[in-house]
Amino acid sequence: MQLLQNKVKEEGIVLSGQVLKVDSFLNHQMDPVLMKEVGKEFTRRFKDENVTRVLTIESSGIAPGIMTALEMDVPMIFARKQKSLTLREDIFVEKVYSFTKQETNEITVSKKFIKPGDRVLIVDDFLANGEAAFGLARIVEQAGAEVVGIGIVIEKAFQPGGRLLAEAGYRVESLVRIASLDDGTVTFA
Ligand code: 5GP
């Protein structure tokens, strides 16, 4: 997606540890026009999948997730990272190791919102090692629903997440793929 690639090129800042900071349009300040285009593009790519739910993870997945759900005219659910006050039997729980925070968090989704028969599109802002996407997929599967695809705004293709998800049989669509962040420079795949 050229618009997004231009934005990454112009505004992305490479941090140490192979992390890309895009806080001017995705991770802090958000660009609603760009997010709307992201939603349209995921909708175009997954139009034949009869998606019934979009699932993402707070907080940076919410903007691309809600725009995709709006375009698809389906509900969006975001997995929570905080401990929920809800009774444990009412929620799906999975452990996810956070690439950026280097700690394991529990993510939770209420059982009310994903049901057997749902066709779920997972959306997230970044793909690195695939931990977040795998955790979300395990929640969908716990619910007896189906993951019909994984839509990623920015994939760091030099990290193994994309390959691991494809090997596990998931269809991954990334709008921008980065081959390297070496020497503080973004090189696209
Ligand atoms: P994974 O779970 O695939 O290892 O990492 C993806 C998650 O970690 C995303 O939800 C995202 O929030 C965060 N993440 C991973 N790499 C980056 C990065 O380079 N920049 C930012 N801003 N977030 C990242």
Side-chain angles (χ1 to χ4, degrees):
M1 192 178 159
Q2 197 59 45
L3 187 66
L4 184 65
Q5 188 159 318
N6 294 346
K7 200 82 170 167
V8 170
K9 199 181 214 158
E10 284 158 19
E11 298 183 22
I13 298 164
V14 181
L15 302 182
S16 61
Q18 306 287 301
V19 171
L20 181 68
K21 188 172 173 182
V22 288
D23 67 348
S24 67
F25 62 92
L26 182 57
N27 290 153
H28 190 15
Q29 176 170 257
M30 290 178 174
D31 180 337
V33 175
L34 182 63
M35 290 304 115
K36 190 173 172 187
E37 292 306 315
V38 163
K40 281 188 185 165
E41 181 61 18
F42 283 140
T43 302
R44 190 183 68 74
R45 294 191 191 200
F46 291 103
K47 68 177 185 313
D48 297 327
E49 294 292 352
N50 298 317
V51 172
T52 64
R53 293 278 185 285
V54 172
L55 175 65
T56 187
I57 182 164
E58 67 178 352
S59 56
S60 296
I62 293 177
I66 194 73
M67 289 311 204
T68 305
L70 178 66
E71 195 67 28
M72 291 183 166
D73 196 18
V74 298
M76 185 211 74
I77 303 131
F78 65 89
R80 293 176 177 274
K81 288 177 184 163
Q82 308 98 319
K83 292 259 182 302
S84 172
L85 296 176
T86 318
L87 292 172
R88 297 290 282 194
E89 57 263 34
D90 295 335
I91 54 176
F92 300 116
V93 183
E94 285 291 339
K95 285 194 166 44
V96 167
Y97 181 77
S98 163
F99 175 78
T100 42
K101 299 200 178 104
Q102 309 221 321
E103 62 185 28
T104 299
N105 292 309
E106 282 194 339
I107 63 167
T108 64
V109 171
S110 168
K111 289 183 179 174
K112 279 189 293 198
F113 300 128
I114 308 181
K115 298 287 183 190
D118 267 322
R119 296 177 59 76
V120 180
L121 175 65
I122 291 172
V123 168
D124 203 7
D125 60 338
F126 271 91
L127 177 58
N129 294 324
E131 287 278 330
F134 272 114
L136 292 169
R138 288 193 300 269
I139 283 183
V140 174
E141 284 148 14
Q142 274 196 58
E146 189 183 344
V147 177
V148 298
I150 299 173
I152 298 293
V153 181
I154 302 172
E155 176 181 349
K156 293 186 293 178
F158 57 88
Q159 290 177 300
R163 178 178 54 79
L164 295 174
L165 289 166
E167 282 172 6
Y170 298 110
R171 176 181 168 200
V172 181
E173 292 282 344
S174 303
L175 303 186
V176 161
R177 299 183 77 241
I178 292 174
S180 148
L181 294 176
D182 291 347
D183 305 321
T185 306
V186 180
T187 308
F188 294 101

